Amino acid sequence: SVDRTRRGATGGLDLAPRVFQGEERLEVDLSGDDVDWCFADDGELLMAMEHLLPRMIRSLSGGETAVVRVDCDNFHEIREERLRSLAQRVAEEVRRRGKPRILEPMNPADRRIIHTTLADDPNVMTESEGDGYFKRIMVRPAPMPAALAPALPA
């Protein structure tokens, strides 16, 4: 049955996918009685699906690649707002204390949100650190322009 197939594709959870082609990627929006699972462990289920679906598509299509975004009850919008808020709070702390701050490891999409949020802030700089998929971001004070730096005695 359709219900059995749907439950099999989502690990036995009652989540129905609505799939459509977005501008830059394939969009999958999940709904159903088990949407709370989408938010568990900071969206780990959605992230796992986003990681696995492109690989499944490539395998089943003979090598065709696809970028996939899996969402559920606006999880990504809520997460992006939380990341932008985190970036602003950390930048304020770095400006106030004058010391760098290193954030927890993040995936590329989350790091991009932090970097983009702080890109126009002249008082801080961001830099990804580490190897692999999950990297940390260092937020540090931006160097002071020479014209504004205090003159050092000769």
Side-chain angles (χ1 to χ4, degrees):
S1 76
V2 171
D3 188 52
R4 180 181 291 166
T5 302
R6 182 178 78 194
R7 285 183 175 272
T10 57
L13 298 173
D14 183 17
L15 294 169
R18 186 173 66 90
V19 181
F20 58 96
Q21 182 62 51
E23 287 184 32
E24 300 175 0
R25 61 188 166 225
L26 189 65
E27 303 279 349
V28 179
D29 190 34
L30 300 173
S31 61
D33 291 338
D34 290 329
V35 294
D36 289 347
W37 282 95
C38 295
F39 290 87
D41 296 320
D42 209 21
E44 190 172 311
L45 175 65
L46 297 180
M47 302 303 166
M49 288 182 178
E50 286 182 353
H51 180 77
L52 294 173
L53 282 173
R55 285 149 182 80
M56 292 172 62
I57 291 168
R58 187 171 46 245
S59 174
L60 295 172
S61 69
E64 189 173 325
T65 60
V67 177
V68 180
R69 181 169 186 169
V70 181
D71 205 358
C72 182
D73 274 2
N74 296 315
F75 171 84
H76 286 289
E77 184 178 324
I78 294 165
R79 181 175 180 84
E80 287 171 16
E81 183 53 41
R82 284 182 39 228
L83 288 167
R84 284 190 291 271
S85 179
L86 170 66
Q88 295 294 345
R89 284 193 319 271
V90 169
E92 176 58 33
E93 177 186 326
V94 168
R95 283 190 296 271
R96 191 178 66 251
R97 298 178 70 202
K99 295 183 179 181
R101 169 104 186 268
I102 299 176
L103 302 178
E104 292 298 314
M106 295 181 192
N107 65 46
D110 289 354
R111 289 194 313 269
R112 189 175 311 111
I113 292 167
I114 300 290
H115 289 303
T116 303
T117 300
L118 299 179
D120 294 330
D121 187 328
N123 300 305
V124 297
M125 297 176 63
T126 60
E127 185 177 343
S128 292
E129 296 184 338
D131 296 320
Y133 188 74
F134 291 96
K135 298 179 184 176
R136 296 176 182 268
I137 293 181
M138 177 185 289
V139 181
R140 57 187 165 97
M144 191 178 299
L148 300 176
L152 297 175

